[in-house]
Amino acid sequence: MKVLFLSVPTGQGHHQTAKAVLEYFKENENVECRFLDLVDNTSPFLAESLQKGYLLSTKVTPKMYGTFYDMADRRDISKNSNMGKLVKSVFNKKLLKYLKLYDPDIIVATHVLSAIAMTYIRKKYPLRAKIVAIVTDFALHPFWEEADIDYYVIASELLEFQALKKGLAASKLKPFGIPISPHFGVCLPKQEARAQLGLENCFTILLMMGSMGYGNNVFDAIRSLDNMKEKFQLLVVCGNNSKLKTRIDAMHKKKTIITYGYTNEVSTLMDAADCIITKPGGLSTSEALAKKLPIIMMDPIPGQEDRNKEFMLNNGLAMSVSDTFPINEAVYQLLHYHDKVNMLKNNMEYIAKPNAAKDLGDFMLALCDGKK
């Protein structure tokens, strides 16, 4: 089986979910996988512009980004947007050439733009490949209705109504969950994970705001937690935000606060933790759900992460920080009210999809064998 993963450089989640399925296939000698950044392959300049534009809009002007997202989400889906024309004019020529050379059995689109690109190519040129798209959030983004492909992998059965409203056929929906690394499906005992990391065996909070270290209020949150009288240690993953790490390292601390830059130890850090403070990204949230790790959400990126937050709150999976419900109050509840912790974990048991990468991989193998 030959598989082509098509992604787009807007955040790390789209790339990481492809890598999760790649990781599942790595021991299978009968599967050949390739990963293609659709925009980078088409135009390095466009790729850099798109990545910088995404980072600028979500980090510097998030409210404006959220406004445009909401407008796109509320538009009349019976009328075509210009998105399809843009994708068709920019991506199709080089992508078609690549597809002819590689001739994959299955194409996996991890972003709505790559799914739309495949929709337009298949309308004009016959392709033998089956096309599968992965929706990497707990909501159906704007423009998914403009993709017409074989299967849509969604985060949960509870998203079916959204998908149907966008005109997607129920028979095409596959609620396998957002694919995450198989490492997150295995949990170490807390004491063992803490020993591996050289940590004290006590209540542990993990604060992780994505690879770019997003979060305007992170430092204030850390100071607020440091002033609490309860005993706990705080692990802070700063990602690529070296300024945040330097600032935390230099602050006067009452508690044990350990900072990390970019790290490959996220699975072990989650195993060592009693709760996680994070922005509600689709991938990181899926990882925490797989670990049954109580989640406190803060600083969502307006748009898709606001939708993720709604999903988590509406299904009793997480807590969310606000001006009237600050971070120290959320942590206090998790420290002192075990019934609440158990309630969150029980709800996670229903929603979590720790085997999403395996389930998708097995489905693709069966699809290629003509069993589905």
Side-chain angles (χ1 to χ4, degrees):
M1 181 173 72
K2 295 168 69 176
V3 183
L4 177 63
F5 292 88
L6 288 178
S7 192
V8 171
T10 53
Q12 288 296 312
H14 304 287
H15 286 8
Q16 291 300 322
T17 198
K19 290 178 180 177
V21 187
L22 283 165
E23 188 175 354
Y24 174 68
F25 281 138
K26 70 180 180 181
E27 303 297 333
N28 192 327
E29 296 179 354
N30 296 317
V31 179
E32 177 188 338
C33 296
R34 290 189 185 180
F35 177 88
L36 181 67
D37 186 317
L38 178 61
V39 185
D40 190 44
N41 180 69
T42 305
S43 167
F45 173 76
L46 180 61
E48 184 179 3
S49 300
L50 184 60
Q51 177 74 335
K52 287 183 176 178
Y54 175 78
L55 294 176
L56 177 66
S57 61
T58 56
K59 194 170 184 178
V60 180
T61 58
K63 289 185 179 180
M64 185 179 296
Y65 174 82
T67 298
F68 283 120
Y69 186 101
D70 290 342
M71 289 172 60
D73 205 24
R74 292 194 299 265
R75 81 185 206 288
D76 184 353
I77 64 172
S78 66
K79 300 177 181 178
N80 285 332
S81 69
N82 292 320
M83 183 63 68
K85 294 179 181 178
L86 173 65
V87 171
K88 182 180 179 182
S89 63
V90 174
F91 297 142
N92 284 4
K93 191 173 182 180
K94 279 193 174 183
L95 179 58
L96 178 62
K97 183 178 179 181
Y98 188 96
L99 292 174
K100 287 181 177 180
L101 288 173
Y102 184 50
D103 189 28
D105 296 292
I106 296 179
I107 297 168
V108 181
T110 67
H111 191 283
V112 65
L113 292 183
S114 50
I116 293 174
M118 291 312 309
T119 299
Y120 276 84
I121 283 181
R122 194 160 65 172
K123 282 181 179 179
K124 192 169 183 181
Y125 304 98
L127 292 175
R128 70 180 187 88
K130 291 290 185 180
I131 304 172
V132 178
I134 302 173
V135 181
T136 57
D137 284 292
F138 290 86
L140 274 293
H141 306 309
F143 309 116
W144 271 111
E145 62 276 0
E146 297 190 25
D148 183 11
I149 55 175
D150 297 302
Y151 298 102
Y152 302 82
V153 176
I154 55 177
S156 169
E157 296 85 349
L158 297 174
L159 298 181
E160 180 178 321
F161 185 67
Q162 286 187 34
L164 295 178
K165 285 198 300 181
K166 286 184 175 291
L168 309 187
S171 60
K172 293 185 175 184
L173 302 178
K174 299 296 174 183
F176 298 140
I178 300 171
I180 55 177
S181 171
H183 292 105
F184 292 93
V186 179
C187 297
L188 293 174
K190 291 190 190 305
Q191 189 170 349
E192 183 180 337
R194 290 166 186 169
Q196 284 191 19
L197 296 167
L199 302 173
E200 182 182 354
N201 187 31
C202 67
F203 193 94
T204 303
I205 300 170
L206 174 61
L207 194 157
M208 189 174 70
M209 300 300 288
S211 61
M212 295 304 298
Y214 287 137
N216 298 328
N217 303 313
V218 171
F219 189 74
D220 289 341
I222 291 170
R223 286 200 300 187
S224 175
L225 294 174
D226 191 49
N227 286 324
M228 292 181 69
K229 67 178 183 179
E230 286 79 8
K231 177 177 172 57
F232 56 81
Q233 60 190 344
L234 179 61
L235 314 178
V236 184
V237 176
C238 301
N240 297 319
N241 192 335
S242 57
K243 289 183 179 179
L244 176 63
K245 186 178 187 306
T246 299
R247 190 179 180 192
I248 297 169
D249 289 341
M251 70 178 276
H252 175 73
K253 309 173 187 69
K254 300 174 184 176
K255 299 189 185 309
T256 298
I257 301 179
I258 302 171
T259 59
Y260 301 82
Y262 186 85
T263 177
N264 292 317
E265 299 293 331
V266 173
S267 178
T268 307
L269 287 167
M270 286 188 175
D271 288 333
D274 292 280
C275 67
I276 182 171
I277 301 168
T278 185
K279 69 186 190 71
L283 201 69
S284 58
T285 299
S286 296
E287 292 166 352
L289 288 174
K291 296 286 190 181
K292 311 297 187 294
L293 185 62
I295 302 167
I296 300 172
M297 302 177 293
M298 64 179 289
D299 286 351
I301 295 173
Q304 65 267 33
E305 290 189 356
D306 276 338
R307 305 304 192 274
N308 289 343
K309 184 180 79 170
E310 288 177 350
F311 180 90
M312 300 295 286
L313 291 176
N314 287 337
N315 290 288
L317 301 168
M319 305 164 72
S320 181
V321 171
S322 68
D323 290 341
T324 54
F325 186 70
I327 189 69
N328 52 6
E329 186 168 349
V331 167
Y332 182 91
Q333 288 190 8
L334 294 182
L335 276 163
H336 293 284
Y337 298 98
H338 301 299
D339 285 345
K340 180 156 191 172
V341 173
N342 291 333
M343 178 194 70
L344 291 170
K345 290 184 176 182
N346 288 339
N347 291 339
M348 288 177 178
E349 189 73 37
Y350 172 68
I351 298 292
K353 306 280 189 180
N355 299 315
K358 177 184 183 302
D359 291 342
L360 174 56
D362 290 346
F363 173 77
M364 290 161 60
L365 286 167
L367 195 63
C368 196
D369 288 341
K371 294 178 182 177
K372 293 191 178 182

